[in-house]
C-alpha cells in the first residue's frame, strides 16, 4: 500500500517528467514532431524567474497539447499527425476542418499560457531551443517543474 504523500510525489514526478520530456524533446508548442520555431537565438542567461515562468507555461499547456494531439489523431485516423508549428499556420493547413480548428485553438491557448506567464513567444521559443542543447538549463527547467508541481 502506497502512502498518500508518496502517491502525490509519484504523480508530481510523472507530470513533471512528461512535461519536461515534451518540451525538451521539442514537442511544445508544436503538437507533434520537432519544435521547429526559432525566431531568435538568445545567448543571454535565463534568470530564475524566466525559468520558472517557462516551466509554468509548459506545465499549463501540456494537458492541452496531449488532448489536441489525441483529438487530431482520432479525426485523421491511421494517418500520421503532421508536425504542427504554431508559428507557421501552413503547417496545419492540410488538416481536415475539425482537426485544423483544434490546432488553431491549441496554438491560441498556448500563446495565452506563455504570455500569462510573463514571457514573449520569441523568448519562450529561444529558451526551448537552448534547453535542447544546454544540460544545465534542462536541469533547471525540470527542477522548476517539480517545484511547481509540489505546491
Amino acid at each position: 500500500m502506497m502512502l498518500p504523500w508518496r502517491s502525490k510525489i509519484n504523480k508530481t514526478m510523472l507530470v513533471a517528467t512528461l512535461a519536461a520530456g515534451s518540451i525538451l524533446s521539442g514537442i511544445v508548442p508544436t503538437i507533434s514532431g520537432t519544435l521547429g520555431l526559432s525566431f531568435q537565438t538568445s545567448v543571454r542567461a535565463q534568470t530564475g524567474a524566466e525559468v520558472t515562468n517557462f516551466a509554468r507555461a509548459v506545465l499549463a499547456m501540456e494537458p492541452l497539447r496531449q488532448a489536441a494531439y489525441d483529438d487530431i489523431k482520432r479525426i485523421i485516423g491511421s494517418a500520421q499527425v503532421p508536425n504542427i508549428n504554431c508559428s507557421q499556420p501552413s503547417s496545419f493547413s492540410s488538416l481536415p476542418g475539425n482537426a485544423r480548428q483544434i490546432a488553431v485553438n491549441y496554438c491560441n491557448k498556448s500563446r495565452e499560457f506563455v504570455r500569462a506567464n510573463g514571457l514573449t513567444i520569441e523568448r519562450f521559443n529561444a529558451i526551448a531551443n537552448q534547453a535542447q542543447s544546454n544540460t544545465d538549463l534542462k536541469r533547471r527547467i525540470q527542477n522548476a517543474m517539480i517545484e511547481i508541481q509540489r505546491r
Side-chain angles (χ1 to χ4, degrees), residues 116-136:
N117 283 287
L119 296 170
T120 64
I121 301 302
E122 293 80 10
R123 189 63 185 145
F124 178 90
N125 291 333
I127 293 170
N129 287 332
Q130 290 172 359
Q132 291 179 31
S133 61
N134 182 326
T135 56
D136 180 58

Side-chain angles (χ1 to χ4, degrees), residues 3-16:
L3 299 173
W5 61 270
R6 205 176 250 198
S7 175
K8 186 174 182 176
I9 289 173
N10 287 340
K11 287 178 186 175
T12 297
M13 293 297 290
L14 177 63
V15 169

